């Protein structure tokens, strides 16, 4: 199933099974009482558990999901400010000591939950969050200076430091608006340097800079007043969007796979967000970004190079094969959404449709769903596109 927010979604196995029963008043009350008791227990024990397992990434990532289910009012109602302070202190330490993606994502979501403005603790948690982000940004700026020091090749320590900083910046950009920390110029400098081949920059540094810039663009858009947007902010957003899309298009030809793939996903995601549907609100029309034919063709070519390829190595671990297939299905779903939302021409999908039978087991469901949507958009164009696909298959 294709979803608006991106990537491929599979229906859960229980979807549509059994009635969607509402809780009775008595059951609802029981659920709330259980939630309160569990919150009271974990408010007291979570700081101790975080301290005990501080260096264990798997346990810490699991522990940090617990506050998302708290009744946060209990922190003030039960005068648990001391335990809140301890939780925030260890949460800060977790972020500074770990670079594991799951830990950083869980930490970012935990801050997002604790800073919910509906609760009295939000002010104290927001101060802790800003203190942490100040520290992360200062370290990122320092790592940037060391990495791009004039006349010097960065060593392994400097590379590792910049990767670690970018991982943390991206994890927090995903849940928090970091616009006021003015990170764009530094992040975009990495992208330009990677594109210009000024330095042999590791692929993880470039790809994390791309994904962070993508998040920055979304926060700029989210901050606009959709009834009366600030003209200067719109111009800045449009300029930065065009810069990022242009460089990502060029980076799709990059020699490093991770950079190519991140550029492709970023373009697909931003084309969805800034499609002509955004222009349904007249004042937002200046932000609509439509892909030209060259970009559309390159997105289609990406599928030929990265998705419709046969595995030649039979010795590869089965789990690795499954992960690789999931990644390819995600790439295909990104492109198919562009067809479904009429962002790229149906004709551009001819190259994809011709692989329907050959790769039916891997991608048949995605291509079939896309074909059905394409027919809804324009039956004649879809029929002509399929005829072209069949002609191409005949020449293979």
């Amino acid at each position: 199933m294709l979803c608006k927010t991106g990537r491929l979604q599979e229906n859960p196995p229980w979807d549509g099974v059994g009635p969607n029963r509402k809780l009775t008043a008595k059951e609802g009350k029981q659920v709330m009482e259980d939630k309160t008791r569990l919150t009271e227990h974990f408010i007291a024990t979570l700081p101790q558990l975080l301290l005990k397992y501080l260096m264990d990434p798997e346990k810490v990532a699991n522990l940090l999901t617990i506050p998302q289910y708290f009744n946060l009012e209990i922190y003030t109602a039960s005068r648990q400010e001391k335990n809140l302070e301890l939780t925030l202190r260890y949460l800060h330490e977790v972020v500074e000591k770990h670079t594991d993606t799951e830990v950083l994502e869980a930490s970012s979501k935990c801050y997002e939950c604790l800073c919910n403005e509906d609760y009295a603790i939000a002010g104290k948690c927001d101060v802790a969050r800003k203190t942490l982000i100040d520290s992360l940004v200062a370290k990122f700026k320092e790592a940037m200076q060391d990495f791009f020091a004039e006349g010097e090749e960065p060593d392994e320590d400097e590379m590792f430091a910049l990767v670690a900083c970018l991982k943390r910046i991206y994890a927090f950009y995903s849940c928090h608006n970091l616009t006021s920390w003015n990170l764009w110029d530094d992040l975009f400098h990495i992208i330009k340097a990677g594109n210009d081949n000024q330095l042999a920059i590791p692929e993880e540094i470039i790809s994390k800079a791309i994904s962070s810039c993508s998040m920055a663009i979304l926060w700029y858009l989210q901050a606009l007043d959709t009834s009366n947007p600030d003209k200067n902010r719109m111009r800045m957003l449009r300029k930065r969007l065009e810069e990022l899309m242009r460089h990502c298009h060029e980076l799709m030809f990059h020699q490093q796979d991770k950079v190519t793939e991140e550029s492709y996903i970023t373009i697909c995601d931003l084309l969805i967000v800034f499609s002509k549907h955004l222009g349904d609100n007249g004042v937002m029309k200046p932000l609509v970004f439509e892909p030209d034919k060259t970009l559309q063709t390159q997105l289609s070519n990406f599928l030929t190079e990265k998705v419709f390829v046969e595995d030649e190595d039979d010795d590869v671990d089965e789990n690795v094969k499954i992960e690789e297939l999931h990644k390819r299905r995600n790439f295909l779903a990104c492109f198919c959404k562009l067809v479904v939302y009429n962002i790229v021409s149906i004709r551009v999908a001819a190259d994809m449709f011709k692989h329907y039978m050959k790769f039916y087991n891997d991608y048949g469901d995605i291509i079939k769903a896309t074909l059905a949507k394409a027919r809804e958009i324009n039956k004649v164009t879809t029929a002509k596109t399929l005829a072209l696909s069949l002609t191409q298959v005949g020449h293979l």
Side-chain angles (χ1 to χ4, degrees):
M1 179 182 171
L2 298 172
C3 67
K4 278 188 182 178
T5 52
R7 325 263 171 116
L8 187 66
Q9 269 194 345
E10 309 286 355
N11 286 330
W14 57 85
D15 191 32
V17 178
N20 208 358
R21 188 175 69 84
K22 288 187 177 181
L23 296 176
T24 64
K26 185 178 179 182
E27 289 170 333
K29 185 182 177 187
Q30 184 64 49
V31 167
M32 291 309 296
E33 287 175 358
D34 289 345
K35 184 175 182 177
T36 298
R37 278 199 298 272
L38 286 167
T39 301
E40 287 171 344
H41 170 74
F42 277 110
I43 277 178
T45 57
L46 184 61
Q48 301 163 31
L49 291 168
L50 285 173
L51 180 60
K52 182 177 180 180
Y53 298 109
L54 194 64
M55 298 312 296
D56 186 323
E58 189 177 348
K59 288 188 174 66
V60 166
N62 287 330
L63 286 170
L64 290 178
T65 62
I66 296 173
Q68 296 172 41
Y69 304 97
F70 276 2
N71 177 355
L72 293 174
E73 290 174 345
I74 290 173
Y75 271 116
T76 43
S78 300
R79 300 192 175 184
Q80 294 285 349
E81 286 84 356
K82 185 67 178 173
N83 280 319
L84 176 62
E85 286 172 10
L86 287 172
T87 299
L88 291 170
R89 184 203 300 173
Y90 298 138
L91 186 52
H92 186 118
E93 281 190 45
V94 165
V95 175
E96 294 210 316
K97 289 182 186 298
H98 287 273
T99 58
D100 183 86
T101 299
E102 286 187 11
V103 174
L104 295 175
E105 285 178 357
S107 302
S108 182
K109 286 175 184 172
C110 190
Y111 273 106
E112 183 184 32
C113 169
L114 294 172
C115 293
N116 187 328
E117 293 180 358
D118 293 340
Y119 299 96
I121 62 170
K124 180 175 284 189
C125 295
D126 186 48
V127 169
R129 173 176 59 180
K130 285 177 177 171
T131 302
L132 171 66
I133 295 172
D134 282 343
S135 170
L136 297 183
V137 170
K139 286 180 179 175
F140 169 61
K141 301 269 186 188
E142 186 182 333
M144 280 288 292
Q145 277 190 327
D146 292 343
F147 188 90
F148 289 100
E150 200 169 330
E152 293 180 28
E153 285 289 319
D155 59 29
E156 283 190 18
D157 288 343
E158 288 164 343
M159 288 182 188
F160 177 82
L162 186 53
V163 169
C165 288
L166 283 164
K167 281 183 171 181
R168 295 182 180 113
I169 293 291
Y170 174 66
F172 276 79
Y173 238 141
S174 298
C175 296
H176 309 272
N177 188 352
L178 307 189
T179 301
S180 59
W181 279 271
N182 299 315
L183 293 167
W184 177 271
D185 288 343
D186 283 326
L187 291 167
F188 199 68
H189 178 74
I190 296 171
I191 296 173
K192 285 194 291 187
N195 205 1
D196 297 340
N197 289 320
Q198 294 171 355
L199 291 166
I201 304 176
E203 60 181 4
E204 192 160 22
I205 289 177
I206 304 171
S207 58
K208 275 286 177 281
I210 292 170
S211 50
S212 296
C213 280
S214 180
M215 290 308 308
I217 291 282
L218 297 180
W219 282 113
Y220 297 149
L221 178 62
Q222 192 266 344
L224 288 176
D225 179 350
T226 53
S227 57
N228 185 26
D230 181 281
K231 296 292 188 293
N232 289 329
R233 286 187 177 187
M234 282 188 79
R235 276 193 290 271
M236 181 204 72
L237 173 52
R238 178 72 199 191
K239 180 173 177 285
R240 290 182 172 178
L241 173 65
E242 287 178 348
E243 286 177 341
L244 181 59
M245 294 294 258
R246 178 169 56 82
H247 278 277
C248 282
H249 187 187
E250 291 171 10
L251 285 167
M252 283 180 67
F253 299 93
H254 201 274
Q255 57 200 11
Q256 295 171 316
D257 285 346
K258 202 167 186 179
V259 175
T260 302
E261 292 164 4
E262 191 61 49
S263 300
Y264 168 83
I265 288 175
T266 296
I267 289 172
C268 290
D269 285 350
L270 292 178
L271 284 176
I272 292 284
V273 175
F274 291 92
S275 70
K276 53 195 166 201
H277 303 295
L278 182 66
D280 291 344
N281 176 355
V283 295
M284 303 296 278
K285 268 188 178 176
L287 293 177
V288 171
F289 188 99
E290 296 191 64
D292 58 25
K293 286 184 179 179
T294 305
L295 178 54
Q296 292 188 41
T297 302
Q298 185 54 32
L299 292 172
S300 176
N301 290 344
F302 179 91
L303 300 182
T304 304
E305 294 166 14
K306 298 284 186 178
V307 174
F308 298 114
V309 290
E310 296 184 77
D311 292 318
E312 296 175 357
D313 191 354
D314 295 328
D315 298 329
V316 176
D317 180 75
E318 198 61 35
N319 289 329
V320 174
K321 281 187 178 179
I322 291 169
E323 280 182 27
E324 187 64 26
L325 177 60
H326 178 74
K327 185 171 78 169
R328 290 175 185 172
R329 282 173 63 85
N330 182 46
F331 292 151
L332 182 59
C334 284
F335 180 82
C336 288
K337 284 201 308 298
L338 300 178
V339 177
V340 166
Y341 293 111
N342 206 15
I343 294 165
V344 304
S345 164
I346 294 170
R347 287 189 179 87
V348 177
D351 269 358
M352 174 185 72
F353 291 138
K354 77 181 181 188
H355 293 291
Y356 179 55
M357 292 305 296
K358 187 176 181 181
F359 291 89
Y360 182 82
N361 289 338
D362 292 341
Y363 316 121
D365 55 335
I366 302 175
I367 298 175
K368 188 176 179 182
T370 307
L371 194 53
K373 288 290 183 182
R375 282 199 194 99
E376 289 176 22
I377 295 167
N378 191 315
K379 285 184 180 178
V380 174
T381 304
T382 303
K384 288 180 178 178
T385 302
L386 288 177
L388 176 60
S389 296
L390 290 168
T391 306
Q392 291 174 348
V393 169
H395 287 99
L396 287 177

